[in-house]
Amino acid sequence: MSLQKCFIVDSTLREGEQFELSHYTLADKIAIARALDSFGVDFIEISSPAVSPSAREACKVLTGLRLRAHVAAHLRCHMDDVRLALECGITAFNLFMASSPILRASSHGRGVDEIVRQATEVAAYIKRERPEAIVRFSCEDAFRSSLDDLLSIYVPLSKTGLFSRFGIADTVGAASPLRVMQTLQIVRTALGPDIDIEFHGHNDTGCATANAWMAVEGGATHIDTCVMGLGERNGITRLEDLVAAIYAVDHEAARARFDLPALKPLVELVARIVGVEVPFGACIVGSSAFTHKAGVHSKAIIANPKTYEILDPADFGLERNVMIAHQLVGWNAVKARAGQLGYDLDAEALKRITATLKDIASRRRITNGDVDELIASAAAVNGNDIDVTELKAAA
Protein backbone atom coordinates (compact mmCIF):
# COMPACT_ATOMS: atom_id res chain seq x y z
CA MET A 1 0.00 0.00 0.00
CA SER A 2 1.35 3.42 -0.92
CA LEU A 3 1.00 6.44 1.35
CA GLN A 4 -1.32 8.28 -1.04
CA LYS A 5 -3.75 5.33 -1.05
CA CYS A 6 -3.80 4.44 2.65
CA PHE A 7 -7.18 4.61 4.37
CA ILE A 8 -7.71 7.09 7.19
CA VAL A 9 -9.43 5.94 10.36
CA ASP A 10 -10.06 9.23 12.12
CA SER A 11 -10.54 8.97 15.87
CA THR A 12 -11.32 12.58 16.81
CA LEU A 13 -14.66 11.39 18.21
CA ARG A 14 -13.07 8.57 20.23
CA GLU A 15 -9.38 9.10 20.98
CA GLY A 16 -9.99 12.84 20.73
CA GLU A 17 -12.73 12.60 23.35
CA GLN A 18 -10.04 11.30 25.72
CA PHE A 19 -8.04 14.55 25.40
CA GLU A 20 -7.87 16.31 28.77
CA LEU A 21 -9.95 19.34 27.70
CA SER A 22 -12.51 17.58 25.52
CA HIS A 23 -16.18 17.64 26.44
CA TYR A 24 -18.29 16.96 23.37
CA THR A 25 -22.02 17.56 23.32
CA LEU A 26 -24.14 15.51 20.94
CA ALA A 27 -24.37 18.56 18.67
CA ASP A 28 -20.55 18.81 18.71
CA LYS A 29 -20.22 15.16 17.71
CA ILE A 30 -22.65 15.58 14.84
CA ALA A 31 -20.84 18.70 13.58
CA ILE A 32 -17.42 17.04 13.79
CA ALA A 33 -18.65 13.82 12.12
CA ARG A 34 -20.16 15.74 9.23
CA ALA A 35 -17.04 17.86 8.81
CA LEU A 36 -14.79 14.77 8.82
CA ASP A 37 -17.05 13.09 6.30
CA SER A 38 -17.12 16.15 4.03
CA PHE A 39 -13.34 16.37 4.16
CA GLY A 40 -13.02 12.77 3.04
CA VAL A 41 -11.80 10.44 5.81
CA ASP A 42 -12.66 6.78 5.28
CA PHE A 43 -13.68 5.75 8.81
CA ILE A 44 -14.98 7.80 11.74
CA GLU A 45 -14.20 6.00 14.98
CA ILE A 46 -16.48 6.77 17.92
CA SER A 47 -16.50 5.89 21.61
CA SER A 48 -18.02 2.61 22.72
CA PRO A 49 -21.74 2.73 23.54
CA ALA A 50 -20.79 0.88 26.73
CA VAL A 51 -19.16 4.06 28.07
CA SER A 52 -22.40 5.79 29.11
CA PRO A 53 -26.05 6.36 28.15
CA SER A 54 -25.01 9.51 26.29
CA ALA A 55 -22.44 7.51 24.33
CA ARG A 56 -25.17 5.07 23.33
CA GLU A 57 -27.40 7.92 22.19
CA ALA A 58 -24.54 9.42 20.17
CA CYS A 59 -23.80 6.03 18.63
CA LYS A 60 -27.39 5.71 17.42
CA VAL A 61 -27.51 9.26 16.09
CA LEU A 62 -24.15 9.10 14.31
CA THR A 63 -24.91 5.80 12.61
CA GLY A 64 -28.20 7.30 11.49
CA LEU A 65 -26.55 10.22 9.69
CA ARG A 66 -25.90 8.01 6.65
CA LEU A 67 -22.43 9.39 6.12
CA ARG A 68 -20.19 8.26 3.29
CA ALA A 69 -17.50 7.29 5.83
CA HIS A 70 -17.96 4.15 7.91
CA VAL A 71 -18.88 4.90 11.53
CA ALA A 72 -16.83 2.46 13.62
CA ALA A 73 -17.27 1.81 17.34
CA HIS A 74 -14.15 1.25 19.42
CA LEU A 75 -15.00 -1.78 21.55
CA ARG A 76 -13.46 -4.06 24.10
CA CYS A 77 -13.39 -7.56 22.65
CA HIS A 78 -16.33 -8.46 24.84
CA MET A 79 -19.83 -9.74 24.08
CA ASP A 80 -21.56 -7.07 26.18
CA ASP A 81 -19.90 -4.21 24.26
CA VAL A 82 -20.67 -5.86 20.94
CA ARG A 83 -24.36 -6.41 21.79
CA LEU A 84 -24.75 -2.73 22.63
CA ALA A 85 -23.03 -1.71 19.40
CA LEU A 86 -25.32 -3.99 17.38
CA GLU A 87 -28.37 -2.45 19.07
CA CYS A 88 -27.09 1.00 18.11
CA GLY A 89 -26.82 0.11 14.42
CA ILE A 90 -23.03 -0.18 14.20
CA THR A 91 -21.68 -2.04 11.15
CA ALA A 92 -17.95 -1.46 11.73
CA PHE A 93 -16.52 -3.02 14.90
CA ASN A 94 -13.06 -1.96 16.08
CA LEU A 95 -12.25 -4.64 18.66
CA PHE A 96 -9.15 -4.48 20.85
CA MET A 97 -7.39 -6.45 23.56
CA ALA A 98 -4.11 -5.79 25.35
CA SER A 99 -1.26 -8.00 24.15
CA SER A 100 1.75 -6.76 26.13
CA PRO A 101 2.64 -8.60 29.36
CA ILE A 102 2.30 -5.45 31.45
CA LEU A 103 -1.18 -4.60 30.17
CA ARG A 104 -2.41 -8.19 30.11
CA ALA A 105 -1.47 -8.53 33.76
CA SER A 106 -3.20 -5.25 34.65
CA SER A 107 -6.34 -5.63 32.52
CA HIS A 108 -7.89 -8.85 31.24
CA GLY A 109 -5.31 -11.31 32.63
CA ARG A 110 -5.54 -13.68 29.64
CA GLY A 111 -2.82 -15.56 27.83
CA VAL A 112 -2.24 -15.49 24.08
CA ASP A 113 -4.33 -18.59 23.39
CA GLU A 114 -7.21 -17.16 25.40
CA ILE A 115 -7.01 -13.89 23.43
CA VAL A 116 -7.32 -15.85 20.19
CA ARG A 117 -10.24 -17.87 21.51
CA GLN A 118 -12.14 -14.84 22.80
CA ALA A 119 -11.55 -12.75 19.67
CA THR A 120 -12.77 -15.63 17.50
CA GLU A 121 -15.93 -16.09 19.55
CA VAL A 122 -16.77 -12.39 19.55
CA ALA A 123 -16.10 -11.95 15.83
CA ALA A 124 -18.14 -15.06 14.98
CA TYR A 125 -21.05 -13.65 16.97
CA ILE A 126 -20.85 -10.33 15.12
CA LYS A 127 -20.82 -12.08 11.75
CA ARG A 128 -23.83 -14.21 12.69
CA GLU A 129 -25.79 -11.15 13.71
CA ARG A 130 -24.51 -8.83 10.98
CA PRO A 131 -22.85 -10.74 8.11
CA GLU A 132 -21.85 -7.55 6.27
CA ALA A 133 -20.01 -6.17 9.31
CA ILE A 134 -16.46 -4.83 9.07
CA VAL A 135 -14.53 -6.36 11.97
CA ARG A 136 -11.07 -5.23 13.04
CA PHE A 137 -9.06 -6.80 15.84
CA SER A 138 -6.22 -4.77 17.34
CA CYS A 139 -3.44 -5.72 19.72
CA GLU A 140 -3.20 -2.91 22.25
CA ASP A 141 0.39 -2.02 23.27
CA ALA A 142 1.76 -4.14 20.43
CA PHE A 143 5.25 -2.66 20.57
CA ARG A 144 5.77 -3.81 24.14
CA SER A 145 4.64 -7.27 23.08
CA SER A 146 6.99 -9.90 21.70
CA LEU A 147 6.82 -10.60 17.99
CA ASP A 148 6.14 -14.25 18.81
CA ASP A 149 3.06 -13.24 20.81
CA LEU A 150 1.83 -10.88 18.10
CA LEU A 151 2.15 -13.50 15.38
CA SER A 152 0.59 -16.13 17.63
CA ILE A 153 -2.47 -13.87 17.78
CA TYR A 154 -2.66 -12.46 14.24
CA VAL A 155 -1.92 -15.59 12.24
CA PRO A 156 -4.58 -17.93 13.69
CA LEU A 157 -7.15 -15.13 13.71
CA SER A 158 -6.42 -14.36 10.04
CA LYS A 159 -7.21 -17.97 9.15
CA THR A 160 -10.73 -17.73 10.57
CA GLY A 161 -11.89 -15.44 7.77
CA LEU A 162 -13.85 -13.39 10.31
CA PHE A 163 -11.72 -10.25 10.31
CA SER A 164 -11.47 -7.43 7.76
CA ARG A 165 -8.17 -6.20 9.17
CA PHE A 166 -5.79 -6.29 12.13
CA GLY A 167 -4.55 -3.37 14.18
CA ILE A 168 -1.05 -2.79 15.53
CA ALA A 169 -1.12 -0.14 18.25
CA ASP A 170 1.85 1.79 19.62
CA THR A 171 -0.26 2.65 22.66
CA VAL A 172 2.47 4.38 24.68
CA GLY A 173 4.51 5.88 21.82
CA ALA A 174 7.45 3.63 22.58
CA ALA A 175 8.39 2.66 19.02
CA SER A 176 10.87 4.31 16.67
CA PRO A 177 10.09 4.77 12.97
CA LEU A 178 12.57 2.05 12.01
CA ARG A 179 11.10 -0.41 14.48
CA VAL A 180 7.57 0.34 13.27
CA MET A 181 8.53 -0.35 9.67
CA GLN A 182 10.38 -3.56 10.55
CA THR A 183 7.52 -4.86 12.71
CA LEU A 184 4.94 -4.09 10.03
CA GLN A 185 7.07 -5.87 7.44
CA ILE A 186 7.24 -8.99 9.60
CA VAL A 187 3.51 -8.98 10.28
CA ARG A 188 2.75 -8.26 6.61
CA THR A 189 4.90 -11.21 5.52
CA ALA A 190 3.18 -13.50 8.04
CA LEU A 191 -0.33 -12.45 7.03
CA GLY A 192 0.23 -12.23 3.30
CA PRO A 193 -0.69 -9.46 0.85
CA ASP A 194 -4.48 -9.70 1.11
CA ILE A 195 -5.00 -8.87 4.81
CA ASP A 196 -5.47 -5.21 5.76
CA ILE A 197 -3.35 -3.83 8.60
CA GLU A 198 -4.10 -0.73 10.68
CA PHE A 199 -1.56 1.34 12.65
CA HIS A 200 -2.35 3.42 15.72
CA GLY A 201 0.53 5.50 17.03
CA HIS A 202 0.81 7.76 20.07
CA ASN A 203 3.05 10.80 20.15
CA ASP A 204 4.78 10.46 23.52
CA THR A 205 8.22 10.68 21.88
CA GLY A 206 7.15 12.99 19.04
CA CYS A 207 7.26 10.25 16.40
CA ALA A 208 3.56 9.63 15.68
CA THR A 209 3.51 11.00 12.13
CA ALA A 210 6.88 9.53 11.20
CA ASN A 211 5.77 6.20 12.66
CA ALA A 212 2.54 6.30 10.66
CA TRP A 213 4.48 6.99 7.46
CA MET A 214 6.86 4.11 8.18
CA ALA A 215 3.95 1.84 9.04
CA VAL A 216 2.63 2.35 5.51
CA GLU A 217 6.12 1.72 4.12
CA GLY A 218 6.10 -1.54 6.08
CA GLY A 219 2.73 -2.68 4.78
CA ALA A 220 -0.04 -0.89 6.71
CA THR A 221 -3.20 -0.09 4.75
CA HIS A 222 -5.02 1.99 7.39
CA ILE A 223 -3.73 4.79 9.66
CA ASP A 224 -5.46 6.16 12.76
CA THR A 225 -5.52 9.96 13.10
CA CYS A 226 -7.06 12.73 15.16
CA VAL A 227 -7.59 16.37 14.28
CA MET A 228 -4.67 18.24 15.91
CA GLY A 229 -3.49 14.87 17.24
CA LEU A 230 -5.90 15.00 20.18
CA GLY A 231 -5.99 12.04 22.53
CA GLU A 232 -4.69 10.48 25.71
CA ARG A 233 -1.66 12.37 27.03
CA ASN A 234 -0.25 14.19 23.98
CA GLY A 235 -2.33 12.24 21.50
CA ILE A 236 -1.78 10.37 18.24
CA THR A 237 -0.95 11.03 14.59
CA ARG A 238 -2.39 14.37 13.48
CA LEU A 239 -4.83 14.24 10.58
CA GLU A 240 -3.35 17.39 9.07
CA ASP A 241 0.19 15.96 9.27
CA LEU A 242 -0.81 12.77 7.46
CA VAL A 243 -2.67 14.76 4.79
CA ALA A 244 0.45 16.90 4.28
CA ALA A 245 2.53 13.76 3.84
CA ILE A 246 0.04 12.27 1.38
CA TYR A 247 -0.02 15.55 -0.58
CA ALA A 248 3.77 15.77 -0.65
CA VAL A 249 4.00 12.28 -2.15
CA ASP A 250 1.24 12.81 -4.73
CA HIS A 251 -0.68 16.10 -4.76
CA GLU A 252 -3.00 14.88 -7.52
CA ALA A 253 -4.04 11.90 -5.40
CA ALA A 254 -4.59 14.17 -2.39
CA ARG A 255 -6.75 16.56 -4.40
CA ALA A 256 -8.80 13.65 -5.73
CA ARG A 257 -9.34 12.06 -2.30
CA PHE A 258 -9.96 15.04 -0.06
CA ASP A 259 -11.76 18.36 -0.03
CA LEU A 260 -8.50 20.09 0.84
CA PRO A 261 -9.93 23.61 1.44
CA ALA A 262 -12.21 22.03 4.08
CA LEU A 263 -9.24 20.99 6.25
CA LYS A 264 -8.59 24.32 7.95
CA PRO A 265 -12.29 24.90 8.83
CA LEU A 266 -12.41 21.33 10.19
CA VAL A 267 -9.41 21.95 12.44
CA GLU A 268 -10.78 25.32 13.56
CA LEU A 269 -14.13 23.69 14.38
CA VAL A 270 -12.52 21.06 16.60
CA ALA A 271 -10.21 23.63 18.21
CA ARG A 272 -13.19 25.85 19.03
CA ILE A 273 -15.19 22.96 20.48
CA VAL A 274 -12.28 21.74 22.61
CA GLY A 275 -11.22 25.25 23.59
CA VAL A 276 -7.62 25.31 22.37
CA GLU A 277 -5.65 27.37 19.87
CA VAL A 278 -4.54 25.83 16.59
CA PRO A 279 -0.74 25.42 17.03
CA PHE A 280 1.13 28.08 15.04
CA GLY A 281 3.45 25.47 13.53
CA ALA A 282 0.81 22.92 12.57
CA CYS A 283 1.12 21.49 9.07
CA ILE A 284 -1.09 23.32 6.57
CA VAL A 285 -3.43 24.92 9.12
CA GLY A 286 -0.98 26.71 11.45
CA SER A 287 -0.57 30.48 11.14
CA SER A 288 3.10 30.05 10.14
CA ALA A 289 2.53 27.24 7.63
CA PHE A 290 2.95 29.33 4.48
CA THR A 291 4.83 32.30 5.92
CA HIS A 292 8.23 33.31 4.50
CA LYS A 293 10.51 35.79 6.20
CA ALA A 294 14.22 35.53 5.33
CA GLY A 295 15.36 37.59 2.36
CA VAL A 296 16.78 34.61 0.47
CA HIS A 297 13.55 32.68 0.93
CA SER A 298 11.35 35.60 -0.02
CA LYS A 299 13.28 36.32 -3.22
CA ALA A 300 13.03 32.69 -4.32
CA ILE A 301 9.36 32.32 -3.37
CA ILE A 302 8.43 35.44 -5.34
CA ALA A 303 10.23 34.09 -8.40
CA ASN A 304 8.97 30.50 -8.03
CA PRO A 305 6.87 29.33 -5.03
CA LYS A 306 8.05 25.73 -5.48
CA THR A 307 11.56 26.73 -4.38
CA TYR A 308 10.54 26.69 -0.71
CA GLU A 309 7.04 25.16 -0.71
CA ILE A 310 6.34 21.44 -1.00
CA LEU A 311 2.65 22.22 -0.41
CA ASP A 312 0.71 24.71 -2.54
CA PRO A 313 -1.44 26.85 -0.22
CA ALA A 314 -3.92 27.52 -3.03
CA ASP A 315 -4.89 23.82 -3.05
CA PHE A 316 -5.97 24.23 0.59
CA GLY A 317 -7.83 27.48 -0.04
CA LEU A 318 -5.05 29.45 1.67
CA GLU A 319 -2.54 32.16 0.74
CA ARG A 320 1.18 32.44 1.34
CA ASN A 321 2.52 35.32 3.38
CA VAL A 322 5.83 36.88 2.33
CA MET A 323 6.72 39.01 5.34
CA ILE A 324 8.27 42.41 4.78
CA ALA A 325 7.98 44.17 8.15
CA HIS A 326 11.21 42.95 9.76
CA GLN A 327 14.98 43.48 9.68
CA LEU A 328 15.65 40.34 7.61
CA VAL A 329 13.70 41.74 4.66
CA GLY A 330 15.24 41.70 1.18
CA TRP A 331 14.62 44.26 -1.52
CA ASN A 332 12.86 41.76 -3.78
CA ALA A 333 10.13 41.42 -1.16
CA VAL A 334 9.87 45.20 -0.96
CA LYS A 335 9.61 45.34 -4.76
CA ALA A 336 6.77 42.82 -4.69
CA ARG A 337 4.93 44.86 -2.07
CA ALA A 338 5.45 48.08 -4.01
CA GLY A 339 3.98 46.40 -7.06
CA GLN A 340 0.94 45.30 -5.04
CA LEU A 341 0.46 48.94 -4.04
CA GLY A 342 0.74 50.10 -7.67
CA TYR A 343 4.21 51.67 -7.49
CA ASP A 344 6.98 51.08 -10.03
CA LEU A 345 10.26 51.90 -8.28
CA ASP A 346 13.73 51.24 -9.64
CA ALA A 347 16.25 48.93 -7.96
CA GLU A 348 18.21 51.71 -6.26
CA ALA A 349 15.09 53.18 -4.72
CA LEU A 350 13.97 49.76 -3.50
CA LYS A 351 17.37 49.03 -1.97
CA ARG A 352 17.35 52.34 -0.12
CA ILE A 353 13.87 51.66 1.23
CA THR A 354 15.07 48.23 2.32
CA ALA A 355 18.09 49.67 4.11
CA THR A 356 15.86 52.10 5.95
CA LEU A 357 13.47 49.32 6.89
CA LYS A 358 16.32 47.23 8.30
CA ASP A 359 17.58 50.18 10.31
CA ILE A 360 14.20 51.00 11.83
CA ALA A 361 13.33 47.33 12.44
CA SER A 362 16.62 46.82 14.29
CA ARG A 363 15.38 49.31 16.89
CA ARG A 364 11.69 48.52 17.16
CA ARG A 365 8.97 46.19 15.88
CA ILE A 366 7.44 47.46 12.64
CA THR A 367 4.22 46.68 10.80
CA ASN A 368 3.14 46.34 7.18
CA GLY A 369 1.59 49.76 7.57
CA ASP A 370 5.03 51.20 8.33
CA VAL A 371 6.42 49.53 5.20
CA ASP A 372 3.61 50.86 3.04
CA GLU A 373 4.19 54.39 4.33
CA LEU A 374 7.88 54.15 3.46
CA ILE A 375 7.10 52.91 -0.05
CA ALA A 376 4.52 55.67 -0.56
CA SER A 377 6.98 58.30 0.66
CA ALA A 378 9.64 56.98 -1.70
CA ALA A 379 7.21 57.11 -4.62
CA ALA A 380 6.30 60.68 -3.68
CA VAL A 381 9.91 61.82 -4.10
CA ASN A 382 10.26 59.99 -7.39
CA GLY A 383 11.98 56.77 -6.56
CA ASN A 384 15.62 57.33 -7.53
CA ASP A 385 16.18 60.46 -5.48
CA ILE A 386 15.16 59.27 -2.03
CA ASP A 387 15.93 61.26 1.09
CA VAL A 388 16.62 58.68 3.77
CA THR A 389 15.88 61.27 6.46
CA GLU A 390 12.40 61.72 5.01
CA LEU A 391 11.89 57.96 4.92
CA LYS A 392 12.87 57.57 8.56
CA ALA A 393 10.60 60.43 9.51
CA ALA A 394 7.74 58.76 7.66
CA ALA A 395 8.31 55.64 9.71
Coordinates of all heavy atoms in Angstrom, one line a residue, residues 15 30 61 100 121 126 137 142 171 196 261 271-272 274 315 375:
E15 N -10.7 8.7 20.3 CA -9.4 9.1 21.0 C -9.4 10.6 21.3 O -9.0 11.0 22.4 CB -8.2 8.8 20.0 CG -6.8 9.1 20.6 CD -6.3 8.1 21.6 OE1 -6.3 6.9 21.2 OE2 -5.9 8.5 22.7
I30 N -22.0 15.6 16.2 CA -22.6 15.6 14.8 C -21.9 16.5 13.9 O -21.6 16.2 12.8 CB -24.1 16.0 15.0 CG1 -24.9 14.9 15.7 CG2 -24.7 16.3 13.6 CD1 -26.3 15.4 16.0
V61 N -27.3 8.1 16.9 CA -27.5 9.3 16.1 C -26.5 9.3 15.0 O -26.8 9.5 13.8 CB -27.4 10.6 16.9 CG1 -27.4 11.8 16.0 CG2 -28.6 10.6 17.9
S100 N 0.5 -6.8 25.4 CA 1.8 -6.8 26.1 C 1.6 -7.4 27.5 O 0.5 -7.4 28.1 CB 2.2 -5.3 26.3 OG 1.4 -4.6 27.2
E121 N -14.5 -16.0 19.1 CA -15.9 -16.1 19.5 C -16.7 -14.8 19.3 O -17.8 -14.8 18.8 CB -16.0 -16.5 21.0 CG -15.5 -17.9 21.3 CD -15.6 -18.2 22.8 OE1 -15.9 -17.3 23.6 OE2 -15.2 -19.4 23.1
I126 N -20.5 -11.5 15.9 CA -20.8 -10.3 15.1 C -21.3 -10.7 13.7 O -22.3 -10.3 13.2 CB -19.6 -9.4 15.0 CG1 -19.3 -8.8 16.4 CG2 -19.9 -8.3 14.0 CD1 -18.0 -8.0 16.4
F137 N -9.6 -6.4 14.5 CA -9.1 -6.8 15.8 C -7.7 -6.2 16.0 O -6.8 -6.3 15.1 CB -8.9 -8.3 16.0 CG -8.3 -8.7 17.4 CD1 -9.1 -8.7 18.5 CD2 -7.0 -8.9 17.5 CE1 -8.6 -9.0 19.7 CE2 -6.4 -9.2 18.8 CZ -7.2 -9.2 19.9
A142 N 1.1 -3.1 21.2 CA 1.8 -4.1 20.4 C 3.3 -4.0 20.5 O 4.0 -5.1 20.4 CB 1.3 -4.1 19.0
T171 N 0.6 2.0 21.7 CA -0.3 2.6 22.7 C 0.5 3.7 23.5 O -0.2 4.6 24.0 CB -0.9 1.6 23.5 OG1 -1.6 0.6 22.6 CG2 -1.9 2.1 24.5
D196 N -5.7 -6.6 5.4 CA -5.5 -5.2 5.8 C -4.9 -5.1 7.2 O -5.2 -5.9 8.1 CB -6.8 -4.4 5.7 CG -7.2 -4.2 4.2 OD1 -6.4 -4.3 3.3 OD2 -8.4 -3.8 4.0
P261 N -9.6 22.3 0.8 CA -9.9 23.6 1.4 C -10.8 23.4 2.7 O -10.9 24.4 3.5 CB -10.7 24.4 0.3 CG -10.2 23.8 -0.9 CD -10.0 22.3 -0.6
A271 N -10.9 22.8 17.3 CA -10.2 23.6 18.2 C -11.2 24.5 19.0 O -11.0 24.6 20.2 CB -9.2 24.5 17.5
R272 N -12.2 25.0 18.4 CA -13.2 25.8 19.0 C -14.0 25.0 20.0 O -14.3 25.5 21.1 CB -14.1 26.5 18.0 CG -15.1 27.5 18.6 CD -15.7 28.3 17.5 NE -16.5 27.5 16.5 CZ -16.1 27.3 15.3 NH1 -15.0 27.7 14.8 NH2 -16.9 26.5 14.5
V274 N -13.1 22.2 21.5 CA -12.3 21.7 22.6 C -11.8 22.9 23.5 O -11.5 22.7 24.7 CB -11.1 20.9 22.1 CG1 -10.1 20.5 23.2 CG2 -11.6 19.7 21.4
D315 N -4.1 25.1 -3.0 CA -4.9 23.8 -3.1 C -5.7 23.6 -1.8 O -6.7 22.9 -1.8 CB -4.0 22.6 -3.2 CG -3.6 22.4 -4.7 OD1 -4.3 22.9 -5.6 OD2 -2.6 21.7 -4.9
I375 N 7.2 53.1 1.4 CA 7.1 52.9 0.0 C 6.4 54.1 -0.7 O 6.8 54.6 -1.7 CB 6.4 51.6 -0.4 CG1 7.3 50.4 0.0 CG2 6.1 51.5 -1.9 CD1 6.6 49.0 -0.1

